[in-house]
């Protein structure tokens, strides 16, 4: 429940912030060619795109045979981990200038395309965030069933409600929750979630005998923190913790953080 809540919260906040920036720009510009209805038309289009992607994924899942379903689900888990990582790195480089870049791009596009430019940008923003959310939730849902699955979607609903409140607080300029602090903290949690998804995907490949476990287990820390306990379950869902990890899982987990550190360093150098 917690990881679904956080993912929907973060993704929804980004989409809501973009919509809010577009709305403020429309009202400030006062151009009769561009109205609020163009913005909401784009939002509706983005939601429709995300819904279409969800239906397409469910259709593909039902069409595949049992073995192919396992591979498809594993690919979705890896794709979700990759998208989360890409999103964090993208926000690091563009987040601080997002408002200025959006407004500059809108001004250029509005001169040639009018209201269609606002609708298209809103559709792309909402569709992108919605599609990523669908992919993330699908990857998480592959690990759940029954009541646990219901709690996952319940957490997603709570996450969206919290996103509305969070976006309002940020846009109101409240000192208690600076936008920069919000994005920095959420970046760390998202990267931990991506690492957890990567671990889950590697374990799936080991179960399918596509990867060898190498050494299993490398250690047993169940006496300190069991996977099945409440704290252990949280650590497993949010960081990829395993009380009895295989060497292959450890290599994947450490390799992920090594790649993230390298990409972050290259990003800082290019920005300098």
């Amino acid at each position: 429940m917690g990881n679904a809540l956080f993912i929907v919260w973060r993704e929804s906040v980004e989409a809501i912030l973009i919509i809010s920036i577009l709305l403020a720009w429309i009202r400030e510009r006062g151009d009769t060619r561009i109205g609020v209805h163009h913005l909401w038309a784009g939002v509706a289009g983005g939601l429709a795109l995300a819904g279409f992607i969800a239906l397409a994924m469910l259709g593909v899942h039902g069409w595949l045979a049992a073995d192919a379903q396992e591979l498809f689900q594993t690919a979705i888990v890896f794709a979700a981990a990759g998208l989360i990582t890409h999103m964090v790195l993208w926000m690091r480089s563009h987040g601080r200038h997002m408002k200025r870049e959006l407004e500059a791009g809108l001004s250029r596009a509005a001169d040639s395309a009018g209201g269609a430019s606002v609708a298209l940008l809103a559709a792309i923003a909402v569709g992108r965030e919605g599609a990523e959310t669908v992919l993330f939730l699908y990857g998480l849902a592959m690990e759940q069933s029954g009541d646990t699955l219901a709690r996952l979607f319940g957490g997603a609903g709570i996450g969206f409600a919290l996103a509305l409140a969070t976006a309002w607080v940020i846009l109101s300029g409240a000192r208690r929750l600076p936008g920069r602090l919000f994005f920095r903290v959420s970046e760390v949690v998202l990267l931990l979630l991506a690492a957890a998804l990567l671990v889950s995907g590697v374990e799936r490949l080991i179960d399918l005998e596509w990867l060898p476990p190498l050494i299993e287990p490398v250690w047993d820390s169940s006496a300190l923190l069991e996977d099945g306990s409440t704290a252990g379950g949280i650590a497993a869902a949010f960081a990829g913790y395993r009380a009895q990890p295989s060497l292959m899982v450890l290599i994947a987990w450490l390799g992920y953080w090594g790649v993230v550190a390298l990409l972050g360093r290259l990003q800082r150098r290019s920005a300098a």
Side-chain angles (χ1 to χ4, degrees):
M1 176 177 176
N3 43 13
L5 185 154
F6 185 85
I7 286 175
V8 173
W9 175 49
R10 167 63 187 254
E11 291 292 302
S12 299
V13 164
E14 290 187 15
I16 292 169
L17 286 176
I18 291 174
I19 292 170
S20 300
I21 291 170
L22 293 174
L23 181 60
W25 181 85
I26 290 172
R27 289 175 173 171
E28 182 179 345
R29 183 179 176 90
D31 192 333
T32 56
R33 296 178 304 159
I34 304 174
V36 176
H37 64 282
H38 292 110
L39 173 62
W40 297 126
V43 171
L47 291 174
L49 175 61
F52 173 78
I53 292 173
L55 292 175
M57 290 174 65
L58 290 175
V60 170
H61 179 269
W63 175 73
L64 295 173
D67 291 343
Q69 282 186 11
E70 285 292 328
L71 290 175
F72 176 70
Q73 293 169 4
T74 302
I76 291 295
V77 169
F78 282 122
L83 277 174
I84 290 175
T85 306
H86 175 267
M87 179 182 65
V88 170
L89 295 175
W90 185 90
M91 283 300 298
R92 280 183 181 178
S93 60
H94 295 86
R96 290 177 297 176
H97 311 295
M98 182 173 65
K99 184 176 185 294
R100 185 168 66 247
E101 290 177 357
L102 271 176
E103 291 177 343
L106 274 170
S107 296
R108 291 192 300 268
D111 292 335
S112 58
S117 62
V118 174
L120 180 60
L121 185 53
I124 291 173
V126 174
R128 174 181 176 273
E129 304 298 343
E132 288 181 353
T133 302
V134 167
L135 192 59
F136 299 159
L137 291 179
Y138 186 90
L140 293 173
M142 293 302 99
E143 309 296 320
Q144 314 295 336
S145 62
D147 292 341
T148 306
L149 184 61
R151 287 197 296 272
L152 184 145
F153 286 106
I158 295 172
F160 181 73
L162 288 175
L164 292 173
T166 303
W168 179 82
V169 171
I170 294 175
L171 291 169
S172 299
R175 296 180 179 179
R176 293 183 180 180
L177 187 61
R180 182 175 296 181
L181 175 62
F182 164 76
F183 285 111
R184 285 292 176 265
V185 173
S186 60
E187 279 176 2
V188 174
V189 178
L190 282 171
L191 289 175
L192 289 171
L193 280 173
L197 285 171
L198 179 68
V199 166
S200 176
V202 170
E203 288 178 334
R204 282 174 171 269
L205 290 180
I206 292 174
D207 291 339
L208 290 170
E209 298 183 351
W210 280 49
L211 286 177
L214 298 180
I215 300 175
E216 189 175 27
V218 177
W219 66 66
D220 187 352
S221 55
S222 300
L224 297 174
L225 185 62
E226 293 185 0
D227 297 64
S229 65
T230 301
I234 293 173
F238 277 93
Y241 168 78
R242 296 294 184 270
Q244 297 177 316
S246 67
L247 180 58
M248 180 60 73
V249 165
L250 283 178
I251 290 173
W253 191 87
L254 292 172
Y256 171 79
W257 288 110
V259 170
V260 168
L262 177 61
L263 292 175
R265 182 176 299 178
L266 293 174
Q267 195 175 59
R268 287 192 295 272
R269 285 182 180 177
S270 63

